[in-house]
């Protein structure tokens, strides 16, 4: 079984999540046994209730958790980095061996199940030969020499490895003070401790989504064509 984790950080993200992401999830997800956790801000509880109580989806497998109950401290003002930290801290409420982190603007476009994310107790990820800002920071903090970046969201975390990361280092400081990101930090931690090959399989499991650079200056017809093409080549 897999747990899906969705932190929602802004009011607009609720619109994306409940009008795009979740309808596509319910339509294409083909596993009956799963858990889906939405992490919300207490100030947005009324927005969450509005969407949750006014649609017809079955939320039996869902948990709605106030991020304050997970963090147990005053919520930092640096929301951008805090959302990254939440995706790692979420291991504390995950009871499955793996969990998949999502963002509100993700859309599923084809049938999928657990086999799209894991195989023989290993998680899928894929690597991009790119040393971006996140990898530069991770290399410096972890004293490694990564030449690749992992895929971003959706990302498959192996729960016990995230716990091990928290047991060994100050993850909050890495994200909130050193300004590393969640995926680069986790990748660097695994490489530093020789954990990657035993727990992950390099396999592209999603295509690049639509973004501003791709759609900039495109006509409405071209955008629709791009979406249909994406639907044929990703899940």
């Amino acid at each position: 079984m897999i747990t899906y984790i969705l932190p929602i950080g802004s009011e607009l993200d609720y619109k994306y999540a409940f009008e795009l992401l979740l309808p596509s999830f319910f339509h294409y997800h083909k596993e009956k046994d799963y858990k889906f956790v939405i992490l919300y801000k207490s100030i947005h509880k009324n927005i969450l209730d509005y969407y949750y109580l006014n649609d017809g989806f079955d939320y039996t497998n869902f948990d709605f958790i106030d991020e304050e109950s997970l963090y147990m401290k005053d919520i930092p003002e640096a929301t951008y980095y805090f959302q990254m930290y939440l995706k790692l801290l979420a291991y504390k409420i995950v009871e499955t061996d793996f969990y998949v982190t999502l963002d509100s603007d993700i859309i599923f476009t084809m049938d999928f199940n657990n086999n799209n994310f894991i195989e023989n107790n290993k998680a899928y990820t894929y690597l991009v030969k790119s040393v971006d800002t996140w990898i530069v920071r991770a290399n410096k903090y972890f004293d490694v020499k990564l030449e690749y970046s992992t895929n971003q969201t959706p990302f498959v975390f192996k729960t016990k490895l995230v716990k091990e990361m928290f047991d060994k280092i100050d993850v909050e400081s890495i994200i909130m003070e050193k300004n590393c990101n969640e995926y680069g930090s986790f990748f660097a931690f695994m490489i530093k401790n020789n954990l990657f090959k035993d727990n992950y399989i390099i396999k592209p499991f999603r295509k690049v989504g639509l973004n501003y650079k791709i759609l900039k200056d495109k006509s409405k017809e071209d955008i629709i064509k791009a979406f249909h093409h994406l639907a044929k080549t990703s899940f």
Side-chain angles (χ1 to χ4, degrees), residues 57-76:
F57 294 119
D58 181 3
Y59 288 100
T60 301
N61 292 357
F62 277 60
D63 287 335
F64 302 95
I65 298 179
D66 187 332
E67 63 185 29
E68 292 180 6
S69 66
L70 178 61
Y71 188 57
M72 302 297 289
K73 293 186 287 186
D74 292 337
I75 302 299

Side-chain angles (χ1 to χ4, degrees), residues 66-125:
D66 187 332
E67 63 185 29
E68 292 180 6
S69 66
L70 178 61
Y71 188 57
M72 302 297 289
K73 293 186 287 186
D74 292 337
I75 302 299
E77 294 183 3
T79 303
Y80 179 66
Y81 287 99
F82 184 64
Q83 292 296 303
M84 296 180 184
Y85 179 59
L86 277 180
K87 290 176 181 177
L88 293 168
L89 188 63
Y91 88 90
K92 290 188 173 183
I93 55 173
V94 172
E95 298 178 355
T96 54
D97 292 336
F98 300 91
Y99 69 96
V100 177
T101 53
L102 302 172
D103 287 327
S104 297
D105 57 358
I106 285 176
I107 303 175
F108 294 98
T109 58
M110 293 179 67
D111 292 347
F112 69 101
N113 56 32
N114 293 349
N115 294 331
N116 289 98
F117 299 109
I118 58 177
E119 176 185 337
N120 296 326
N121 201 37
K122 292 185 178 182
Y124 290 151
T125 189

Side-chain angles (χ1 to χ4, degrees), residues 1-4 25 28-35 96 98 100 111-120 122-124 156 203 205 235:
M1 187 169 78
I2 287 178
T3 299
Y4 297 88
F25 177 87
Y28 290 112
H29 186 241
K30 302 304 177 183
E31 296 280 354
K32 292 183 178 180
D33 193 16
Y34 72 95
K35 178 66 70 173
T96 54
F98 300 91
V100 177
D111 292 347
F112 69 101
N113 56 32
N114 293 349
N115 294 331
N116 289 98
F117 299 109
I118 58 177
E119 176 185 337
N120 296 326
K122 292 185 178 182
Y124 290 151
V156 190
K203 179 180 179 179
F205 63 91
F235 68 85

Side-chain angles (χ1 to χ4, degrees), residues 136-151:
V136 170
R137 293 173 183 173
N139 280 339
K140 180 178 180 180
Y141 180 85
F142 288 93
D143 192 25
V144 293
K145 296 181 180 179
L146 300 178
E147 297 180 351
Y148 292 83
S149 302
T150 65
N151 65 279

Side-chain angles (χ1 to χ4, degrees), residues 12-57:
L12 182 59
D13 286 337
Y14 286 88
K15 183 176 181 64
Y16 293 151
F18 282 88
E19 296 183 13
L20 294 174
L21 167 62
L22 292 177
S24 72
F25 177 87
F26 282 116
H27 184 77
Y28 290 112
H29 186 241
K30 302 304 177 183
E31 296 280 354
K32 292 183 178 180
D33 193 16
Y34 72 95
K35 178 66 70 173
F36 198 116
V37 177
I38 291 180
L39 299 173
Y40 68 90
K41 296 181 179 297
S42 58
I43 60 173
H44 295 152
K45 184 62 165 61
N46 62 324
I47 302 175
L48 174 64
D49 289 344
Y50 170 80
Y51 281 105
Y52 167 59
L53 298 173
N54 286 281
D55 66 34
F57 294 119

